[in-house]
Amino acid sequence: MHDIELNEEQVMIRDMARDFARNEIAPHAQAWEKAAWIDDGVVRQMGELGLLGMVVPDTQGGSYTDYVAYALAVEEISVADGATGALMSIHNSVGCGPLLAHGNAEQQATWLARLASGEVIGCFCLTEPQAGSEAHNLRTRAERVGDEWVLNGAKQFVSNGRRAGLAIVFAVTDPALGKKGLSAFLVPTDTPGFHVERSEHKMGIRASDTCAVSLNDCRIPAANLLGERGKGLAIALSNLEGGRIGIAAQALGIARAAFEAALGYARERVQFGKPIAEHQSIANLLADMQVQVNAARLLILHAARLRSAGRPCLSEASQAKLFASEMAERVCSMAIQVHGGYGYLEDYPVERYYRDARITQIYEGSSEIQRLLIARELKHYAL
């Protein structure tokens, strides 16, 4: 992608993220995976650079410019480490996003600047063991008792769950109302009754903490209701566009890392008297990889520009997420093929890229959900 397609500020943010990622993240990614933890100091640095407040306006302590810059930054961080890209994307989209869109003035004043600076990391407690894409089928309950809400239930697959200082928790407040009986709450994670039960052992993005959480008579002030009572499902679904742009950019970054690793290896590895990059079968693989990476970026930037302009882009964001996530698995697989047997070893990073890419087809809406949404939007398609 040529810089002529970007404005000066977007290029500056992209290059800042790229330099930081190459110098401070990439050299440590393998060690962080083994430790199942991203270095706290690097997370603080990300906050200082504005990478954790990219959807929050500067008037509220953030560093928002537009979603193009955000997507570019997530891509660069994810080239260095998909797990760190996940932390960044999830914190921005479903950590800061709901509070920015639905929080009242007091809630925003209390939390937004702290989230945007990285002083506090956010997590999003929606999924339950029996309720994934069916977001309205929750069993977690919130009962109003005097000036407090009392929460009880269990949440699954909570990204940033162990690191987070603030959780956005979804619970049923009015069981008889079905979809209209769900509400959202701001729960500081040091609240008695909020327990991280375990960190999951995952196939990929292992340095990103993914946790099971329980709420046992967890009492929070009544003022911690986020938005209106009964609007929880709308709040849960309201940030899908931004979240899917972020995950698409994460998938793109992982795929680009795999492509660049394969290209570098193919230029150095000599077989039959010449670098394997000069053999047509390998050259074709590399060509296909670059085409797919660039095609995904164009879809992502198109959705990001629509989002920045305040225009609806649910279908475009879903298309970007669907294509980028499925492209990432293909490209990472091809990168292993270029490496041959070495690509199957932990000594080479393409093995990690392949594992990291797989989750992007599942979280923030699976590929099946993306296709469902895209198909629904076709009713508006003008022939």
Side-chain angles (χ1 to χ4, degrees):
M1 182 180 61
H2 300 294
D3 289 352
I4 195 170
E5 299 171 10
L6 307 174
N7 63 40
E8 185 176 349
E9 189 170 42
Q10 291 162 349
V11 170
M12 180 184 70
I13 291 170
R14 182 202 64 189
D15 291 351
M16 174 274 291
R18 179 179 296 172
D19 290 343
F20 175 74
R22 287 178 174 175
N23 295 324
E24 304 298 333
I25 297 176
H28 310 292
Q30 196 76 11
W32 294 349
E33 180 183 65
K34 292 186 184 301
W37 191 254
I38 299 164
D39 180 73
D40 294 342
V42 166
V43 176
R44 282 194 296 272
Q45 285 180 274
M46 291 173 69
E48 292 165 3
L49 290 170
L51 294 170
L52 300 179
M54 294 194 73
V55 304
V56 180
D58 59 2
T59 54
Q60 293 173 289
S63 55
Y64 177 78
T65 53
D66 62 21
Y67 271 84
V68 170
Y70 171 59
L72 294 168
V74 172
E75 177 188 342
E76 294 300 334
I77 297 299
S78 301
V79 170
D81 180 32
T84 307
L87 183 154
M88 175 184 171
S89 175
I90 291 161
H91 172 78
N92 272 284
S93 64
V94 294
C96 299
L99 187 60
L100 179 67
H102 301 282
N104 60 38
E106 183 179 353
Q107 291 168 342
Q108 291 181 353
T110 300
W111 292 107
L112 263 184
R114 298 171 68 194
L115 287 165
S117 70
E119 175 193 343
V120 174
I121 297 298
C123 68
F124 191 76
C125 299
L126 175 64
T127 300
E128 297 184 1
Q130 82 295 335
S133 296
E134 192 181 18
H136 61 277
N137 184 28
L138 302 185
R139 294 178 183 165
T140 298
R141 296 291 187 261
E143 182 183 1
R144 181 71 181 262
V145 180
D147 291 332
E148 294 181 318
W149 287 97
V150 183
L151 278 65
N152 284 281
K155 297 295 181 178
Q156 182 72 325
F157 303 133
V158 180
S159 298
N160 302 338
R162 190 172 293 280
R163 184 184 296 274
L166 179 67
I168 298 175
V169 178
F170 294 84
V172 176
T173 47
D174 301 282
L177 297 181
K179 294 181 180 181
K180 296 181 180 179
L182 185 66
S183 300
F185 300 89
L186 301 175
V187 182
T189 59
D190 60 0
T191 303
F194 185 98
H195 298 291
V196 176
E197 296 296 328
R198 65 182 181 276
S199 295
E200 305 290 3
H201 299 282
K202 309 190 297 292
M203 175 182 176
I205 60 167
R206 293 174 179 170
S208 168
D209 56 307
T210 304
C211 303
V213 169
S214 67
L215 300 120
N216 302 309
D217 290 331
C218 183
R219 293 177 175 269
I220 57 172
N224 283 28
L225 176 69
L226 179 63
E228 297 178 31
R229 179 171 178 164
K231 298 295 185 182
L233 185 60
I235 292 171
L237 300 178
S238 66
N239 206 49
L240 295 179
E241 295 170 348
R244 286 166 182 170
I245 290 168
I247 299 303
Q250 180 205 10
L252 170 61
I254 296 168
R256 200 184 100 205
F259 164 65
E260 292 175 355
L263 180 60
Y265 180 83
R267 287 172 173 171
E268 296 174 1
R269 175 73 165 167
V270 175
Q271 293 281 276
F272 304 105
K274 60 183 177 180
I276 62 172
E278 296 179 16
H279 292 283
Q280 196 63 52
S281 58
I282 300 299
N284 287 345
L285 277 178
L286 294 169
D288 285 344
M289 292 164 76
Q290 186 180 38
V291 169
Q292 293 187 56
V293 165
N294 286 340
R297 185 180 294 107
L298 292 173
L299 280 170
I300 293 165
L301 293 183
H302 175 56
R305 288 182 173 118
L306 291 173
R307 175 80 169 170
S308 299
R311 295 172 58 188
C313 61
L314 182 62
S315 178
E316 289 81 1
S318 289
Q319 290 174 51
K321 200 265 189 187
L322 173 65
F323 183 84
S325 62
E326 297 193 347
M327 172 278 299
E329 184 178 2
R330 292 193 301 270
V331 166
C332 290
S333 179
M334 286 190 267
I336 291 174
Q337 197 71 20
V338 170
H339 281 73
Y342 291 112
Y344 205 66
L345 303 181
E346 289 185 359
D347 303 31
Y348 287 79
V350 290
E351 177 267 345
R352 172 166 56 87
Y353 300 152
Y354 185 76
R355 290 186 288 102
D356 286 352
R358 188 60 182 85
I359 187 59
T360 63
Q361 295 179 50
I362 299 172
Y363 64 8
E364 287 280 347
S366 65
S367 289
E368 290 74 21
I369 292 295
Q370 305 309 323
R371 287 186 168 90
L372 178 66
L373 291 169
I374 294 164
R376 283 179 180 171
E377 289 296 306
L378 287 176
K379 65 185 178 184
H380 304 301
Y381 188 89
L383 294 173

